[in-house]
Amino acid sequence: MEKIRDFETTLKAALRGEEQAWASIYNEYAPKVLGYLRARMAPDPEDLLSETLMQVVRDLARFKGNEDAFRSWLFTVAHHRMLDDARYRARRPQIAADEEALAGEAAGNAETEAIDSLTEQEIQTILARLPDEQQTVLLLRVFAGMTAPQIAEAMGKTVGAVKALQHRASQRLRQVLGDPGSEEAERVFSLRGVAMHTETT
Amino acid sequence: MKLEAFLDSVQGAYQRAPAEDVARAHIAALAEAARSIRSEAPAAFRKRRLVLAIAAAFAAVLTLLAGLAFAGVITWHDPFGSLLRINPSSQTQSSFWREFEHRYAIVNSGGSIPKAPVPNSGSVNQARQNGEADHGHQHGDRPEHHGDHANQKPPHGDSPDNPGGGNCQIPNDVSPCLPSPTQQP
């Protein structure tokens, strides 16, 4: 994972409301958070990103920690926002105007995203074979590079449960992709800065 | 397809920066919100400090009172607890205050107040004081039951070996018992 140069200074400047500092944080993390939200098929990922960052602004004065902790906190907020949004949408059926607006937007972007959407469809089909919690663990690993304890905190689970979920997710994906044994899968995770079973922190 | 390639493609497919105009608007809004929160913070801090100071002062006063009470410097009397048993509606105001002064004097002298009569029993109490029997009859009583039962059995609360000794209805009550209806003046 890339890091912001002199993170502490950037954070202090962000607390003072300096636009440059926020641009630095935004450019580093917004694409990753947006990627996570898109991969989880959040209905309005950019809106959720905006809400997530606004909550970060509100609570930033109380934040203490380094950049790793900040990234973990940011994705935890995004994850919770996404769950809140899903619950809200489950309670309130979408109104027709929303659907029309979305349909119009989709038509407008269709040409530019034609190639990507095919890939996304394939990826989504594969990801959809994983249960919801396994998807969460896998995607937090991929987009945020969060450790098992960090994911456990974000999901409100034990570290052991998160490791088990991750193990099952990699096994399942390996089966779907026709990948060789689990050792290979674990090597792939570790190459991406994601240790699986040996990780203790 | 290998897992590594798949994870790469996941990241590649979804991880895109927001549109430039959206990003600019977001960044400006974030910086503005941070400045706004920063300007509001001192006022909020002052308010919180004031609330804490009031709470601390209140707690200190309570602690002081508790300490004084524990040391015996101040005591707490509750004469109204016993006064509540008087039914003011059955008495004139002046007799109410006479009763109040009487009971307050008993409490202050370390005694305890006898059990109060049941509500709306002023006439019965008066009858007791006049030495009449407490019939306790209600409408529907048979006529032959009217009369003075005092000679047949001891009144309620009387001890069997001390009939007419008093109307002690509370076993552990150390207060002087009320005169029994059978006791003649």
Side-chain angles (χ1 to χ4, degrees), chain B residues 52-144:
Chain B
L52 282 174
I54 290 169
F58 188 66
V61 169
L62 282 181
T63 310
L64 181 68
L65 286 174
L68 289 172
F70 185 73
V73 177
I74 57 170
T75 53
W76 173 253
H77 286 293
D78 181 20
F80 297 100
S82 53
L83 277 175
L84 286 175
R85 281 187 252 157
I86 296 173
N87 185 5
S89 66
S90 67
Q91 303 179 39
T92 62
Q93 196 178 7
S94 58
S95 67
F96 176 84
W97 285 112
R98 265 202 305 279
E99 183 70 19
F100 172 84
E101 284 164 4
H102 172 64
R103 287 173 177 245
Y104 190 73
I106 293 174
V107 170
N108 257 1
S109 62
S112 65
I113 296 169
K115 189 174 173 65
V118 294
N120 297 324
S121 63
S123 59
V124 173
N125 218 19
Q126 193 66 37
R128 281 182 173 174
Q129 284 170 10
N130 293 338
E132 295 171 11
D134 181 3
H135 301 302
H137 288 297
Q138 302 294 322
H139 292 294
D141 273 351
R142 286 184 297 174
E144 62 268 25

Side-chain angles (χ1 to χ4, degrees), chain A:
Chain A
M1 288 283 154
E2 289 177 26
K3 297 209 175 202
I4 295 174
R5 187 176 291 179
D6 199 0
F7 179 73
E8 275 190 30
T9 310
T10 305
L11 214 56
K12 281 176 187 165
L15 274 170
R16 290 193 297 272
E18 288 181 18
E19 212 160 307
Q20 187 60 41
W22 280 107
S24 176
I25 292 171
Y26 189 89
N27 292 334
E28 173 63 27
Y29 292 112
K32 294 184 174 80
V33 174
L34 206 52
Y36 172 72
L37 295 170
R38 280 178 181 149
R40 293 304 314 273
M41 299 300 284
D44 198 348
E46 290 191 352
D47 204 33
L48 279 178
L49 169 70
S50 175
E51 284 180 21
T52 301
L53 290 171
M54 276 300 174
Q55 189 173 333
V56 166
V57 172
R58 281 196 294 273
D59 298 339
L60 192 61
R62 289 198 291 271
F63 171 77
K64 283 184 174 56
N66 58 13
E67 190 173 356
D68 281 341
F70 179 80
R71 187 173 57 241
S72 169
W73 175 51
L74 177 63
F75 273 86
T76 301
V77 172
H79 178 67
H80 288 168
R81 281 277 163 186
M82 187 189 69
L83 295 180
D84 287 347
D85 185 60
R87 276 195 287 267
Y88 177 77
R89 284 173 192 274
R91 282 200 304 270
R92 291 169 62 97
Q94 286 289 298
I95 55 172
D98 273 359
E99 286 167 7
E100 282 170 19
L102 285 172
E105 191 179 319
N109 296 332
E111 284 179 21
T112 53
E113 294 184 356
I115 300 167
D116 287 345
S117 66
L118 184 65
T119 313
E120 281 184 26
Q121 263 187 346
E122 286 172 351
I123 292 167
Q124 204 55 54
T125 308
I126 295 169
L127 283 176
R129 297 197 187 188
L130 299 177
D132 191 66
E133 288 187 332
Q134 290 182 21
Q135 277 188 45
T136 303
V137 172
L138 183 79
L139 294 173
L140 284 176
R141 287 286 207 188
V142 169
F143 287 102
M146 287 164 71
T147 62
Q150 287 170 336
I151 294 175
E153 199 179 336
M155 293 177 73
K157 289 187 172 296
T158 63
V159 177
V162 167
K163 284 180 178 175
L165 281 169
Q166 181 183 296
H167 179 67
R168 284 199 291 273
S170 66
Q171 292 284 329
R172 180 82 182 127
L173 277 181
R174 197 168 49 78
Q175 281 175 2
V176 172
L177 300 169
D179 205 7
S182 59
E183 284 179 12
E184 176 68 12
E186 292 193 19
R187 190 184 65 78
V188 169
F189 269 109
S190 62
L191 275 175
R192 300 177 69 89
V194 178
M196 289 179 72
H197 304 294
T198 52
E199 186 175 42
T200 53
T201 56

Side-chain angles (χ1 to χ4, degrees), chain B residues 20-34:
Chain B
E20 205 172 318
D21 55 336
V22 173
R24 263 202 303 274
H26 274 175
I27 290 166
L30 291 170
E32 177 60 36

Side-chain angles (χ1 to χ4, degrees), chain B residues 146-169:
Chain B
H146 285 284
D148 196 343
H149 291 189
N151 295 328
Q152 295 168 12
K153 58 180 179 180
H156 297 298
D158 267 357
S159 163
D161 49 4
N162 183 22
N167 193 13
C168 303
Q169 297 186 6

